[in-house]
């Protein structure tokens, strides 16, 4: 396949498969984005896992455990997708724990109360769905197929969060205050998940041309705001943005300016929990060395028997 064949295939909305010829930049961009996505799922287990042992009922514990396990599964599908592009999983993990590869800024904020579990489900998984549903139509086959299952599971995650918050809002005054406080802390970081504004986004133009990304960062952020406002009203909470209002002319909600200094500071490693998240991941990886050694020894013995 030539470069022209590749371009024709992508423009005809067909899928690129692992053995097809692809430009080096396309492969590199995919590995970067999918690895960052996989790392986000794996690091993203930590803020919620913080509450598994303190969940207020058996039902909430079972739901939370299932959600965090799903996130591990998502990370594994996504690492497998990078392997179809020639990436090495061990190398990606090394880059993550050495701070040479990014993961989503959102997971560097702490989960201070159980209401945070609900708000992470509602807003963080809600933002993730908004961003990821279009990725089911991304041009690289293994990534697009992984996204279909991931999105189904994210949708359950979002609903469990919303249902948890609905329950708390029907509770005591203190519980309602807890929900509003969690919303106040997570709203802006959730908007930051979509990345820098389009004018600052270094990768969007090329990624859109290759049909890796299907919408720009600002388009998806706007969609998320429009989707979340009626959900907040139904729940009985407000977002901490005095400039948030319906603009009938645009047919969308206007909203205030994101604190981009905060965004870049968190992306640069200086958020409230960056150090703790990476240190925890590094320790888990080192503690798992004996499992990887045992699995490798078992596989090589099996290979000898078969030979
Ligand atoms: N945090 O040029 P762009 C989840 C970086 S959902 C950190 O616009 P791009 C589910 C970006 O990498 C979260 N870094 O970049 C879950 C680039 O740096 P580079 C994960 C960010 O790639 C829920 C630079 O800024 N979802 O895990 C962020 O075209 C609950 C310039 O930006 C995905 O990864 C950020 N927020 O667009 C799990 C979805 N934003 O690499 C547990 C797939 C940007 O050039 C619990 N990814 N950067 O050095 C994407 O759609 C895209 O990669 C974007 C960024 C939209 C995130």
């Amino acid at each position: 396949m030539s470069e022209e064949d590749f371009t024709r295939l992508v423009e005809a909305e067909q899928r690129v498969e692992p053995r097809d010829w692809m430009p080096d930049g396309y492969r590199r961009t995919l590995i970067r984005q999918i690895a960052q996505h996989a790392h986000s799922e794996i690091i993203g287990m930590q803020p919620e896992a913080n509450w598994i042992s303190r969940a207020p009922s058996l039902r909430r514990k079972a739901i939370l455990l299932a959600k965090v396990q799903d996130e591990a599964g998502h990370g594994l599908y996504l690492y497998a997708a990078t392997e179809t592009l020639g990436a090495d999983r061990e190398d990606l993990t090394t880059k993550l724990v050495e701070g040479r590869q990014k993961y989503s800024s959102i997971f560097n904020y702490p989960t201070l109360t159980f209401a945070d579990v609900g708000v992470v489900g509602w807003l963080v998984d809600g933002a993730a769905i908004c961003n990821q549903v279009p990725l089911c139509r991304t041009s690289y086959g293994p990534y697009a197929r992984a996204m279909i299952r991931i999105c189904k599971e994210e949708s359950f995650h979002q609903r469990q969060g919303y249902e948890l918050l609905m329950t708390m809002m029907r509770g005591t005054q203190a519980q309602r205050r807890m929900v509003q406080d969690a919303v106040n802390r997570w709203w802006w970081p959730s908007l930051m998940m979509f990345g820098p504004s389009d004018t600052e986004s270094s990768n969007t133009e090329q990624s859109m041309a290759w049909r890796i990304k299907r919408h720009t960062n600002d388009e998806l952020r706007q969609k998320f705001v429009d989707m979340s406002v009626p959900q907040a009203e139904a729940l009985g909470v407000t977002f901490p943005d005095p400039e948030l209002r319906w603009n009938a002319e645009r047919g969308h909600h206007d909203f205030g300016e994101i604190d981009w200094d905060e965004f870049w500071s968190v992306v640069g490693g200086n958020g409230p929990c960056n150090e703790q998240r990476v240190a925890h991941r590094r320790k888990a990886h080192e503690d798992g060395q004996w499992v990887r050694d045992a699995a490798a020894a078992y596989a090589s013995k099996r290979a000898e028997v078969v030979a």
Side-chain angles (χ1 to χ4, degrees):
M1 191 157 90
S2 66
E3 180 142 17
E4 289 85 70
D5 293 334
F6 170 84
T7 308
R8 250 196 310 276
L9 186 87
V10 166
E11 283 174 1
E13 296 287 328
Q14 291 185 350
R15 297 274 179 269
V16 179
E17 295 299 338
R19 293 199 180 131
D20 292 341
W21 182 90
M22 59 186 86
D24 285 345
Y26 178 83
R27 188 185 299 274
R28 265 199 314 276
T29 299
L30 276 170
I31 293 176
R32 178 187 64 77
Q33 177 168 322
I34 305 173
Q36 176 181 310
H37 193 168
H39 296 330
S40 303
E41 298 281 358
I42 298 297
I43 294 276
M45 294 164 74
Q46 293 183 39
E48 289 167 287
N50 179 35
W51 284 96
I52 292 174
S53 62
R54 292 175 289 162
S57 68
L58 181 60
R59 177 171 175 264
R60 292 290 170 204
K61 192 194 283 267
I63 294 172
L64 190 53
L65 204 53
K67 178 182 194 292
V68 173
Q69 282 176 346
D70 285 351
E71 283 150 11
H74 298 174
L76 297 184
Y77 301 150
L78 291 165
Y79 284 129
T82 65
E83 286 176 320
T84 68
L85 291 156
D88 175 63
R89 195 182 296 194
E90 185 72 23
D91 174 54
L92 298 181
T93 302
T94 305
K95 285 183 173 138
L96 169 67
V97 299
E98 290 181 355
R100 289 188 282 129
Q101 239 168 18
K102 297 182 168 79
Y103 58 90
S104 182
S105 49
I106 192 76
F107 303 116
N108 293 306
Y109 291 86
T111 40
L112 302 181
T113 71
F114 198 71
D116 289 38
V117 170
V119 172
V120 167
W122 173 36
L123 295 180
V124 176
D125 285 280
I129 292 169
C130 229
N131 166 273
Q132 290 171 26
V133 165
L135 291 176
C136 297
R137 293 183 295 111
T138 194
S139 56
Y140 187 57
Y143 190 26
R145 290 189 286 275
M147 290 320 300
I148 293 171
R149 175 157 178 189
I150 291 178
C151 284
K152 285 192 178 143
E153 293 178 349
E154 299 288 21
S155 154
F156 148 67
H157 296 173
Q158 202 257 0
R159 276 156 180 265
Q160 70 79 36
Y162 199 71
E163 190 263 350
L164 190 168
L165 296 176
M166 275 290 187
T167 306
M168 287 188 81
M169 291 303 284
R170 284 195 299 267
T172 63
Q173 192 57 31
Q175 284 175 307
R176 279 191 286 277
R177 266 202 307 273
M178 249 161 98
V179 174
Q180 183 62 59
D181 170 64
V183 170
N184 292 348
R185 286 181 287 104
W186 288 92
W187 174 245
W188 290 107
S190 300
L191 294 189
M192 293 177 196
M193 286 175 72
F194 295 92
S197 67
D198 294 349
T199 48
E200 303 298 316
S201 166
S202 43
N203 300 295
T204 295
E205 193 183 344
Q206 182 61 74
S207 290
M208 297 273 288
W210 278 329
R211 308 279 207 274
I212 293 175
K213 283 170 84 163
R214 308 307 315 239
H215 299 283
T216 71
N217 300 354
D218 287 333
E219 282 167 8
L220 293 172
R221 193 171 6 249
Q222 180 71 63
K223 188 162 187 258
F224 175 68
V225 172
D226 291 340
M227 185 179 104
S228 302
V229 169
Q231 293 174 354
E233 276 163 15
L235 200 54
V237 295
T238 55
F239 291 129
D241 179 359
E243 292 172 50
L244 182 63
R245 66 181 63 88
W246 177 249
N247 180 330
E249 219 168 279
R250 289 201 310 122
H252 291 291
H253 292 85
D254 290 337
F255 54 99
E257 183 68 12
I258 287 170
D259 181 348
W260 293 114
D261 291 340
E262 175 179 328
F263 171 73
W264 289 116
S265 159
V266 176
V267 172
N270 300 310
C273 301
N274 295 59
E275 238 172 83
Q276 174 190 333
R277 300 288 186 241
V278 174
H280 188 85
R281 180 71 196 97
R282 187 183 304 116
K283 183 172 183 310
H285 188 62
E286 286 165 4
D287 289 352
Q289 185 62 49
W290 70 272
V291 179
R292 293 191 297 281
D293 290 345
Y298 179 73
S300 74
K301 274 192 195 152
R302 291 272 302 179
E304 271 169 37
V305 171
V306 173

